[in-house]
Structures are given as structure tokens and as C-alpha cells.
Amino acid sequence: MYTGSNILPIARLFHMCHTLQAYRTEDLVSPIAQSVLFPLLPEAMVAFLMNYGPDKFAEIFLGEFDTPEAIWNSEMRRLMIEKIALHLSDFSPRVLSNPRVMYQYHPIPKISYPQLENELFCNVYYLRNLCDTERFPEWNIKNHIELLKDILIAWKN
């Protein structure tokens, strides 16, 4: 498993996978939840990749962030790498002995990040951080109306 810091090519691959995907599920309706990256990354990280592109995503992916748009840190990154390595553990030794071996696709279960258990993510924001006016007094909200609609829907559910 790659654990280096040259993540920009991987971020570009993630972005291409997300934008060129043919992956769809029947039960999920949001564009973020339809992403092939959704089982691997928190919803906010997929949204960040969609909204800011691979260059800014690479900065967030390697950093320690706790903002209204991204909660991501080294512990979460390590958990994701461990879960992917575990998912591919049967295939990794086979590909080393035969680089032409066919991968039998098995969907990876959605990774649950303990750091996000008590967070409410609406639209493209973590509401706890968005409401923290001491830490984020002038955070720019891109689409006020859509955010309010999503908050009301979340409140009803």
C-alpha cells in the first residue's frame, strides 16, 4: 500500500474515477453517494474533490483539517489505508506472483470513521464547525438556499 506524500497523481486518479465513473447504486440518490469513492472516503471529502479539484484535495488529504468543509487527519488516513489493504489482502500476494492475474470485483464495505460519528454533514458542510463562529467567523457559504433546504430535510429525518 502506498503511504508516501506524493499524493497529487493519486488525487488526479480519484478525480478521474469520480468524474468518469459508470458506478451507480439503486438506493442512493445524491451525486456524492453515487460516487465510486463513497465507500472509501467521507462524504465531505468526495464533495471537496468535486468542488475544488484534485490539487486542493491533495492538500486536504495529506493534512490535518477540522473545518466546516473538511474533517480529515492522519488517523483517518491510516484507517482508510488499513481497510483498503485488508480488502485487497487476498489479491495482493497473487498479483505479485502473476501481474496478469484478473481481479474479481468485490465491493468494499463503507468505511466508518469514528471521528465523524457525532458530526452532521449537510450540503457540503459539517454543521458543528459551520456554527462555530469563534473558529470560523467569516466562513463563506456558497449556496445559502440549498444549505437551508438540506438542513430542513435533515431535521425532518
Side-chain angles (χ1 to χ4, degrees):
M1 239 347 121
Y2 178 76
T3 57
S5 62
N6 187 12
I7 199 72
L8 190 55
I10 295 170
R12 289 184 180 136
L13 175 66
F14 277 1
H15 190 257
M16 285 176 50
C17 287
H18 174 73
T19 56
L20 301 174
Q21 70 185 345
Y23 176 81
R24 295 287 181 258
T25 59
E26 301 298 320
D27 54 343
L28 302 172
V29 292
S30 84
I32 294 169
Q34 290 289 340
S35 175
V36 70
L37 301 174
F38 186 67
L40 304 174
L41 296 168
E43 193 173 358
M45 291 295 282
V46 178
F48 200 92
L49 178 63
M50 288 171 48
N51 295 331
Y52 295 100
D55 294 349
K56 290 288 274 181
F57 175 83
E59 289 177 34
I60 296 288
F61 190 82
L62 287 178
E64 304 282 326
F65 287 85
D66 187 11
T67 71
E69 289 186 74
I71 295 176
W72 187 254
N73 57 46
S74 57
E75 191 177 320
M76 296 168 78
R77 195 169 39 256
R78 185 176 56 251
L79 176 65
M80 183 192 73
I81 290 169
E82 288 171 5
K83 295 287 185 176
I84 293 171
L86 180 64
H87 183 72
L88 297 174
S89 63
D90 292 340
F91 182 68
S92 298
R94 292 190 354 235
V95 79
L96 289 174
S97 64
N98 179 6
R100 298 184 66 187
V101 68
M102 292 290 283
Y103 174 71
Q104 297 297 316
Y105 174 74
H106 300 284
I108 188 168
K110 175 116 180 79
I111 299 172
S112 176
Y113 294 92
Q115 299 85 342
L116 302 177
E117 282 179 6
N118 296 320
E119 297 291 341
L120 180 58
F121 183 74
C122 258
N123 194 272
V124 294
Y125 303 103
Y126 286 107
L127 295 185
R128 178 184 56 83
N129 283 348
L130 189 62
C131 293
D132 188 344
T133 55
E134 287 184 20
R135 288 177 47 210
F136 308 105
E138 300 294 324
W139 197 269
N140 183 31
I141 297 173
K142 292 171 188 60
N143 191 332
H144 298 82
I145 307 277
E146 286 299 315
L147 175 60
L148 183 58
K149 285 179 184 177
D150 289 347
I151 290 171
L152 290 172
I153 289 169
W155 190 12
K156 287 179 184 178
N157 296 335

